[in-house]
Amino acid sequence: METTDKPAKKRIISIDVLRGIVIAIMALDHTREFFSSFRHSPTDLAYTTTELFITRWITHFCAPVFVFVAGTGAFLYYVSRGRSAEITSRFLWTRGLFLVLMELTVIRFAASFNFNYYDTTANILQVIWAIGWSMIFLAALVRLPSWVIAVVGGVIVLFHNLLDDVASMVPGSLQWLFTILHVRDYITVAPGIEFLVAYPLIPWIGVMALGFSFGNIFYLEDNAKQKLLLRIGVGMAAAFVVIRWLNIYGDPIPWTYEGSWLFTFLSFINCTKYPPSLLFLLMTLSLPILFLSFMKERETPLSRIFLVFGRVPMFFYIMHIFMLHAAAVVLAWVRYRGFPSWMLTGNPIFSSPAFPAGPADYGYGLIVVYALWLLLLAALWPLCRWYMNYKRTHDYWILRYL
């Protein structure tokens, strides 16, 4: 057995807590998608309610934070124990390939409960795919100075929306590549086998590059670090408000005046996620950075709850999808008094309704969704704590990837 008594490398508590909070919020979104009775998009202002919209909107922060802090984690890996750019690059591209493979196999199965790759509705390239490929691209950038990586990431995030209107100009033979890079659409990988590219790569590559350079801030003295984080967070939030108000650039869907001030506000913050627009990224990264500016690098009874989740995010991600899908099958089996074979197809996370082949009355209201979410977190916490301790005391190579 490979065990180690060496002390774990120093971790940035605020980063782990932030990651733990957003991964717990992500679980709320997926609980809603597996169990909600609502038959439309929760951000469609023609059908949604305020409670449902906010339930979905708060989960918008998850993917940007995951990708951003994955970049920060890569920087911390780079500087810890004097690792070289070559070692860091090798780790990033191998872990990136591992994550892409996990998306195509384990995560796909957890969401669909089937191995049929001809079931197009089950073939969806999601956030783990985007993180994996972003790591591979970052592996090529880590040999550059950190400020150059920041410029590359900033240019991508600021100007990728200029590509929104050029899809018609892309030659047909390259449409598949443009889709992977910047369009949420299907690509054909073999006759009869198609995948939905839910997370086109270009903006996510920029987010991870910025997250990598962001890691430098955590080597400043505490007061200087917190002041800089505050300025960055306020500056990004202000930029979001100004650019969104102008309604000219930054998101393919402009905000509109609705029938009430509340729904007008919801329209204002209803930015495009697939792919994430400049405004979506300003909105969803400014508040977490502001959160970091107020966080102290010490554990508290509350922070320890989220530290456990935040230190084993990949384990949490895989386990929570399996558990949600299994619970959905069991509850439907009991409710409809028969095995719900209609739950063994498609991908509920990107279907509306989640199980279109199932009964028209399938699903539950938001109160039940929130209760199931809390039960899920309660069940996951001891599992994640066990795995966190297992990783800390064992040195198997695969543990560095999960």
Side-chain angles (χ1 to χ4, degrees):
M1 177 183 293
E2 296 182 45
T3 61
T4 178
D5 294 323
K6 64 188 177 184
K9 65 179 182 292
K10 182 180 183 296
R11 301 193 60 112
I12 307 298
I13 292 174
S14 58
I15 291 290
D16 286 336
V17 171
L18 174 62
R19 187 190 291 113
I21 291 172
V22 297
I23 205 168
I25 294 172
M26 174 208 64
L28 170 61
D29 193 41
H30 293 167
T31 304
R32 176 191 59 79
E33 288 163 330
F34 273 96
F35 293 100
S36 174
S37 61
F38 192 67
R39 317 310 276 180
H40 303 278
S41 167
T43 55
D44 186 337
L45 297 181
Y47 297 98
T48 194
T49 64
T50 303
E51 297 81 5
L52 190 59
F53 182 98
I54 295 300
T55 297
R56 170 56 174 154
W57 181 80
I58 61 174
T59 67
H60 280 338
F61 293 83
C62 301
V65 171
F66 289 157
V67 179
F68 190 76
V69 300
T72 303
F75 177 86
L76 299 175
Y77 177 90
Y78 179 30
V79 299
S80 66
R81 300 176 185 174
R83 290 186 173 94
S84 66
E86 181 179 356
I87 292 174
T88 303
S89 178
R90 182 167 60 249
F91 174 74
L92 286 172
W93 73 258
T94 54
R95 185 164 192 245
L97 286 177
F98 178 82
L99 293 180
V100 171
L101 179 63
M102 291 293 287
E103 181 76 84
L104 296 173
T105 55
V106 175
I107 295 169
R108 180 196 175 279
F109 177 76
S112 65
F113 278 3
N114 77 63
F115 295 103
N116 178 19
Y117 282 83
Y118 289 96
D119 176 8
T120 299
T121 60
N123 299 333
I124 302 178
L125 304 175
Q126 303 176 71
V127 67
I128 302 302
W129 144 280
I131 292 175
W133 279 109
S134 296
M135 283 185 172
I136 293 170
F137 278 91
L138 184 59
L141 296 175
V142 292
R143 301 173 190 275
L144 301 173
S146 185
W147 70 267
V148 175
I149 299 174
V151 169
V152 171
V155 168
I156 291 173
V157 169
L158 285 172
F159 299 111
H160 79 274
N161 281 117
L162 294 175
L163 298 174
D164 292 344
D165 299 322
V166 305
S168 60
M169 306 177 192
V170 178
S173 60
L174 295 178
Q175 281 291 341
W176 66 272
L177 179 59
F178 190 71
T179 295
I180 288 174
L181 294 176
H182 199 66
V183 179
R184 186 188 187 214
D185 204 351
Y186 283 90
I187 57 171
T188 300
V189 299
I193 300 179
E194 295 183 339
F195 279 81
L196 172 63
V197 183
Y199 280 73
L201 299 179
I202 284 180
W204 298 115
I205 292 169
V207 170
M208 184 168 288
L210 288 175
F212 183 88
S213 299
F214 184 77
N216 285 282
I217 296 175
F218 290 89
Y219 286 86
L220 298 174
E221 185 271 330
D222 282 350
N223 286 338
K225 178 191 73 174
Q226 290 180 306
K227 288 179 181 178
L228 183 55
L229 289 172
L230 182 62
R231 289 170 184 167
I232 293 173
V234 170
M236 291 177 67
F240 165 75
V241 172
V242 172
I243 298 173
R244 186 59 165 164
W245 183 265
L246 293 174
N247 237 4
I248 297 173
Y249 176 76
D251 197 281
I253 302 176
W255 65 276
T256 58
Y257 288 99
E258 301 294 328
S260 67
W261 71 265
L262 177 57
F263 269 62
T264 298
F265 173 72
L266 297 185
S267 175
F268 192 85
I269 63 174
N270 192 17
C271 299
T272 303
K273 181 179 180 180
Y274 305 107
S277 67
L278 165 63
L279 286 165
F280 181 89
L281 294 173
L282 287 173
M283 175 180 70
T284 54
L285 289 176
S286 58
L287 296 184
I289 290 173
L290 283 172
F291 169 83
L292 290 174
S293 74
F294 294 103
M295 275 288 294
K296 303 293 184 182
E297 296 300 329
R298 64 172 182 265
E299 295 186 18
T300 67
L302 179 60
S303 73
R304 290 189 190 103
I305 297 174
F306 296 106
L307 276 173
V308 170
F309 294 149
R311 287 179 175 170
V312 289
M314 189 62 181
F315 179 81
F316 182 108
Y317 189 88
I318 294 171
M319 290 299 298
H320 96 282
I321 297 178
F322 269 111
M323 293 171 70
L324 285 173
H325 204 163
V329 169
V330 171
L331 288 179
W333 199 335
V334 171
R335 178 176 176 180
Y336 297 105
R337 300 176 182 175
F339 182 74
S341 58
W342 40 272
M343 284 191 165
L344 309 185
T345 185
N347 186 320
I349 295 175
F350 279 90
S351 299
S352 186
F355 300 104
D361 66 345
Y362 174 77
Y364 308 89
L366 272 183
I367 293 178
V368 174
V369 168
Y370 273 85
L372 291 171
W373 170 57
L374 293 175
L375 286 174
L376 173 71
L377 295 183
L380 274 169
W381 195 83
L383 291 174
C384 289
R385 183 178 60 175
W386 167 82
Y387 184 66
M388 179 186 71
N389 291 329
Y390 186 84
K391 283 187 68 175
R392 189 160 47 199
T393 55
H394 293 74
D395 200 28
Y396 298 111
W397 68 268
I398 196 170
L399 298 180
R400 296 192 293 271
Y401 291 83
L402 284 174

